[in-house]
Every structure is written in C-alpha cells, then in structure tokens.
Amino acid sequence: MGNTLYYGDNLVVLKQHIKDESVDLVYLDPPFNSNQTYNTFFQSRDGGTCTAQIKAFEDTWTWDEGAAETLRELLEAGGEVAKVMECFRVLLGKNTMLAYLSMMAPRLMELRRVLKPTGSLYLHCDPGASHYLKLLMDAIFTPQNYVNEIIWKRSSAHSDTKQGARHYGRVTDTLLFYSKGDDRKWNPLYTSYDEQYVKRDYRRVDPDGRRYRIDNLQGPGGAAKGNPFYEVMGVKRYWRYSKERMHALIEQGRVVQSRPGAVPQYKRYLDEMPGVPAQNLWSDIPIINNRSKEKLGYPTQKPLALLERIIQSSSNAGDVVLDPFCGCGTAVDAAQTLRRQWIGIDITHLAVGIIKRRLHVTHGLEANRDYAVLGEPTTLEGATILATKDTHQFEHWALGLVYARGSAKDKGADGGIDGWFDFYVGPGDDSHGRVIISVKAGKNLGVAMVRELGHVVSREKASIGVLIVMHEPTKPMLTEAADAGHFTATGWDTRHRRLQILTVKDLFAGKEIDAPPTKRKPVKVCVAPSPRSRAS
C-alpha cells in the first residue's frame, strides 16, 4: 500500500481511496465536542455541501442541514446503527451532541470496513462523549468485539480546579479498544515495576549490584503431578525441576540456602523479569508540557509514547496503521519509527504541513519521494484557487512545500513572520541560524513587502528572509532583494542571499531556498503527484 498522507475530508478519502480489509490498525483522535475553539473543524454545511476545516480546528458542533441529512441517511439504512441513532435522537434531541454523533457514525462504519479481520481500532475520546460513542461502537462492531476501555491520565493537574471550581479535576481521556474479530493481533507489553514493590520484593542484592528475590523450588502437587523426589543440599523434597536441571542451577549460583537445613530456593533476578503486564489504566506515559522536546505547539498533540504503546501491542512490523484525524502526525511518526506502513488523513493544510516537516526533521523523509501526498494543489491553477479561496490555508500549504514551521501567533499578530526553519552553521556544530519566511497569496505585490521582510530579519537577528508569493514579483522587488547582500555560513564556507523571493511556480519547478543544510539534510521541494483513484 505504501505510506500516504491525504489532504481532505476523511469520509471521502476512506470511501474513494482505501480498500476493504486493507488496514491492520486504526487509531483516531477526533474532536471531542468540547466546545473549545482550537483555531473550525467541520463548519455548518449549506445545502449538503461539505466545507473543510479552516484553521487548526474549532471543536464545536452545530445541528444544521448537513447533520440532519446525515442522520436521515443513517436511519433509512436500517440495522443496529439506525437503532442506536434513533435512540440518540429521542434522548438528546437535535443538539450539538447529536450532530457530533451523526458525523462520527459513518466514519466509524467506514473504518470497520477497511479493517482486516485481524485488525483493531482505538477510539480516543473524553468522558463527555465516551458513553455515547461506546453504544455507537457496540452497534458497529458488536458488543462481543469490545476489548477494553483504557483510561489515560493526560495531565498531572488541571486549571479547571482553580479556586471557585465545583468539581474534581478532569485529568483523563478514554480510549475505546475494539477488534474486527476474535483473532486480533496482540503483542503483550510490560511496564516497569512500582518502586515500592521493587524495594519490598527485590530487596536482596548480589555483590555485583543485581537485585533479586527468592522463589519456591518445590514441585506443587508432589508425585501426583509427576514432580521428582530427591535430596538437594541435605533437604529431601518433591522438586519443580529434574535432578540434572537442579544441579545446573546450583552450578550457575541460582540456588540459595539461607541456613543449613532450610529449603533451598531459587534466585530470580529483577533484570530478567519483563515487568508488569500493561493494564487498562495508563498513568505512566510522560505528558507533553512546555519542557517536552517533542512539543510542536499543536493543540491536542498526544505523546509519542502513547501511540507507540498502541502500535506495538496491536500490530507487527510491516502492518498498515491508519489515522483518519492525524492532526500533527503523532501516529504517523510512531508508525514510521516502528517500521509500520501508514496512512494519515487530515482536512487542513496546517496539519499536513506540520506532518511533512515532522517526517523531514525526525526521519529525513521527503514528500513524494519517501511517501505520497495526495489532495494538495499540484498545479498553478490549483494553487491559485486555494490562494483566492483561503489565504490562511494557502499560507500553511506554501510553508509545507519548504518544510517550514508555521508561526505560533495568530494571523495579524505574527510580527511579519509566517514561518521559519533553522539550519546548522557548520558540520558538527550545534549552533544554528534561522530562515524567516513570509507568504503572500494576493496579486498586489510591492517593494514595501521586501523592505518589511528585511526589517523583520534584522529585528529577529535571523540570517535569511524568504518571501514566497503566488504571483510574479515586480522588478523593484527583485532589485531590493538583490541589494540586501549575502549571509556567509563560515562553517560550510558558503554564501547565501540574505533576502530571497520564490514564486509557487519556482517551487513547483524544484527551486529551493538558498540556505545551509538543516539538521537532517538541505531543504528540498517536491511536487505532489496526481491523486490516485484508490490506494494500492
């Protein structure tokens, strides 16, 4: 199937591109209906037309014509899903929760379709909707294929318990774990022993520092269970092992006798034990905070360790992992690290751009060489349509072409910085310089834009400034950029233009930002291929 990143509505992508029973593991972290704005996921639909997510997303749902039409189609289809949706309609009425469940139902049905018979699905949700989603999942997967409810402790404390709050702190999320059938893939995982347990049970320490505890060597059930009877260290008993095996253990120093006449016991070393089998309460995964190295600044980002645990336990190397709400790409990153194939789907250019950069920086991968990107503009006509329709999304798409990180500030307060990336000033040198990027989607271009970029580069003490434009720059703009001089990377013994102007046409033609190498490799730009009708 190959690694593929799709831009678009996941329901459309699933129906048009993903084959029946082609996926081994699905993880999805959809918006939670939390009524929090994260910068408009699925906006209200007018006359049945589906509109795409606009910024990062707004986790707010509205009962509108689109939601009503989706519910009508579900009810008319009949079956268990229709029954549970009718119950929701009667119980909840026409509100945001019903709109949310109406959106989720057809997507979950498609996800079951694409799962292999040995596949599993993990649905990440919060306690506000998990009980409704559990009933919906039972209708789609059947109650017999429910495996676990996993409780993940996502933070150590929460601001909603500040003075005046009248509830317990909300620090957990829920993951609903279902399988397609009885023969699901499963790899047992183990977590570290509790420190108090280690101190209590593994309190003995060898001269070489290895902790151990003593364990019973006697054969349970005696002769009735076929255990041999013989003498060991002056003690006659029915033993767990044969005489030959017992003597081998003694030679290895694995049998100890606390005093003469005491029953010999087995030394079980802590470092030979796998740990505690993973339970359904996950409180041991480090949270993402301002000090986390993996923090990307994306709302709702999940820790890499969380996805690694899910992928390791429910898939094998080479299997296909699908995330239909892939956001900043944690599931994609974990799948790549664990040598799984992956499919990611998101409906914002912001998310797709973040994932492209993440794969580039972390794994050295380049779009459309190491993985396919489908659904993005691949022609000047498509780019022009995006620039005209939504300048904000055009900006994120353009930054994704050069693997740049978007500015964390809101549009209008970005200080002239739409994106940036860092480069290393020399081989083996940890210090770095910065490239600042400004993106202009409109036709009204002028030399003032280049001068403003120069001021921003000076203000931020950056090395290089790049202006990415949809339309051709004016001659005065090119002259102003040329007159800005060069930046010299002494470590690489290279010179680079201090101010640069690149058009989308340039990027499609393979032209690159003139900068020293990034941590992994020089930034390269690749053009996405034409969308395929169905994943291969």
Side-chain angles (χ1 to χ4, degrees):
M1 180 176 291
N3 298 334
T4 309
L5 183 60
Y6 289 93
Y7 165 76
D9 183 337
N10 51 27
L11 184 59
V12 175
V13 172
L14 287 166
K15 288 182 175 181
Q16 295 184 357
H17 295 274
I18 313 301
K19 292 181 179 180
D20 294 354
E21 299 186 350
S22 60
V23 173
D24 296 280
L25 173 63
V26 172
Y27 167 83
L28 66 157
D29 180 18
F32 288 171
N33 192 40
S34 62
N35 291 318
Q36 296 185 40
T37 299
Y38 295 98
N39 233 13
T40 307
F41 209 82
F42 291 85
Q43 287 189 318
S44 299
R45 296 188 292 177
D46 184 12
T49 301
C50 180
T51 58
Q53 176 177 340
I54 300 302
K55 299 193 171 54
F57 62 84
E58 181 180 286
D59 190 5
T60 304
W61 305 92
T62 303
W63 180 260
D64 57 14
E65 291 183 17
E69 176 64 18
T70 300
L71 179 60
R72 183 188 65 78
E73 292 174 356
L74 291 168
L75 295 178
E76 288 181 353
E80 296 302 309
V81 175
K83 293 177 183 177
V84 75
M85 292 304 300
E86 174 62 18
C87 291
F88 289 152
R89 187 189 67 80
V90 174
L91 175 66
L92 299 171
K94 297 176 180 179
N95 60 12
T96 58
M97 182 60 75
L98 186 61
Y100 175 68
L101 295 169
S102 297
M103 184 281 296
M104 288 298 298
R107 287 163 173 81
L108 291 170
M109 294 166 70
E110 284 297 310
L111 292 171
R112 184 188 182 281
R113 174 186 65 80
V114 304
L115 269 180
K116 294 178 181 178
T118 56
S120 298
L121 180 146
Y122 289 75
L123 170 56
H124 197 136
C125 48
D126 77 348
S130 61
H131 48 302
Y132 298 121
L133 289 169
K134 173 66 168 61
L135 292 173
L136 181 57
M137 290 288 285
D138 281 348
I140 296 171
F141 282 81
T142 76
Q144 291 74 28
N145 287 321
Y146 164 72
V147 183
N148 277 119
E149 178 186 58
I150 299 165
I151 304 300
W152 171 50
K153 185 180 179 182
R154 56 178 166 77
S155 66
S156 54
H158 204 281
S159 60
D160 65 8
T161 56
K162 61 186 177 182
Q163 187 174 4
R166 303 178 68 181
H167 57 77
Y168 299 109
R170 297 160 180 157
V171 297
T172 63
D173 283 350
T174 299
L175 289 94
L176 300 176
F177 173 19
Y178 281 76
S179 64
K180 181 75 172 281
D182 295 335
D183 190 26
R184 65 180 176 276
K185 292 183 178 181
W186 181 249
N187 303 306
L189 297 182
Y190 298 86
T191 60
S192 300
Y193 290 114
D194 178 80
E195 184 177 349
Q196 293 301 318
Y197 168 76
V198 171
K199 289 181 178 179
R200 185 191 70 223
D201 285 46
Y202 287 88
R203 63 183 183 276
R204 297 171 175 83
V205 183
D206 267 352
D208 61 0
R210 295 180 71 190
R211 283 184 171 270
Y212 70 93
R213 66 181 178 88
I214 55 175
D215 203 355
N216 186 19
L217 279 169
Q218 297 181 72
K225 295 292 185 179
N227 294 296
F229 183 87
Y230 55 89
E231 182 177 328
V232 177
M233 296 180 177
V235 178
K236 294 180 179 181
R237 288 288 193 281
Y238 286 99
W239 303 105
R240 188 181 300 270
Y241 304 112
S242 68
K243 185 180 292 187
E244 293 76 14
R245 174 61 176 156
M246 183 69 77
H247 284 303
L249 291 174
I250 293 172
E251 289 292 325
Q252 296 167 15
R254 301 300 294 263
V255 179
V256 296
Q257 189 177 39
S258 59
R259 54 180 174 75
V263 176
Q265 293 184 296
Y266 178 70
K267 291 174 69 173
R268 192 175 297 280
Y269 286 102
L270 176 63
D271 58 18
E272 294 177 345
M273 302 302 294
V276 181
Q279 309 295 302
N280 72 329
L281 175 60
W282 294 359
S283 59
D284 61 319
I285 294 175
I287 63 174
I288 293 179
N289 54 37
N290 291 331
R291 298 182 299 278
S292 301
K293 291 184 179 180
E294 63 183 277
K295 183 178 176 63
L296 297 173
Y298 188 87
T300 73
Q301 179 182 353
K302 301 302 184 291
L304 194 60
L306 178 71
L307 273 299
E308 288 177 340
R309 178 172 295 179
I310 292 170
I311 292 171
Q312 286 177 318
S313 65
S314 292
S315 69
N316 300 320
D319 284 352
V320 178
V321 177
L322 166 64
D323 185 347
F325 294 89
C326 59
C328 63
T330 303
V332 168
D333 189 352
Q336 181 68 35
T337 298
L338 297 171
R339 297 184 295 113
R340 272 65 167 173
Q341 298 182 77
W342 51 263
I343 301 170
I345 310 171
D346 205 274
I347 200 166
T348 64
H349 290 294
L350 168 63
V352 172
I354 290 174
I355 297 169
K356 288 162 68 175
R357 173 178 171 77
R358 186 172 188 171
L359 292 171
H360 181 70
V361 172
T362 304
H363 301 284
L365 302 185
E366 294 187 23
N368 303 306
R369 186 197 71 182
D370 301 306
Y371 60 95
V373 181
L374 304 180
E376 289 192 315
T378 60
T379 64
L380 286 177
E381 181 183 6
T384 302
I385 292 172
L386 178 61
T388 303
K389 181 180 179 180
D390 190 331
T391 58
H392 194 71
Q393 283 296 320
F394 174 83
E395 173 190 309
H396 292 306
W397 169 76
L399 293 173
L401 287 179
V402 295
Y403 302 110
R405 175 175 289 184
S407 171
K409 298 180 180 179
D410 293 333
K411 193 66 178 174
D414 55 17
I417 304 172
D418 292 323
W420 54 270
F421 66 83
D422 289 339
F423 59 83
Y424 281 73
V425 298
D429 191 338
D430 287 337
S431 56
H432 62 269
R434 176 157 293 185
V435 176
I436 285 176
I437 300 172
S438 178
V439 180
K440 303 297 180 183
K443 295 181 179 179
N444 296 324
L445 302 175
V447 69
M449 295 176 177
V450 183
R451 292 172 182 161
E452 175 61 23
L453 178 61
H455 293 321
V456 173
V457 169
S458 298
R459 183 192 73 210
E460 300 294 323
K461 296 181 173 57
S463 304
I464 296 170
V466 178
L467 185 64
I468 297 177
V469 294
M470 179 65 240
H471 302 279
E472 290 296 322
T474 65
K475 183 174 281 188
M477 292 173 68
L478 296 172
T479 301
E480 185 75 20
D483 290 343
H486 291 79
F487 161 75
T488 300
T490 55
W492 300 102
D493 193 24
T494 55
R495 296 173 74 240
H496 310 271
R497 289 171 295 146
R498 179 172 169 79
L499 296 182
Q500 303 173 30
I501 303 175
L502 290 172
T503 66
V504 169
K505 183 178 180 180
D506 292 332
L507 297 176
F508 277 161
K511 192 171 183 180
E512 304 173 2
I513 291 176
D514 179 21
T518 61
K519 183 175 183 180
R520 290 284 179 177
K521 58 183 70 175
V523 171
K524 295 185 182 296
V525 176
C526 300
V527 181
S530 299
R532 298 173 293 186
S533 61
R534 190 167 287 272
S536 58

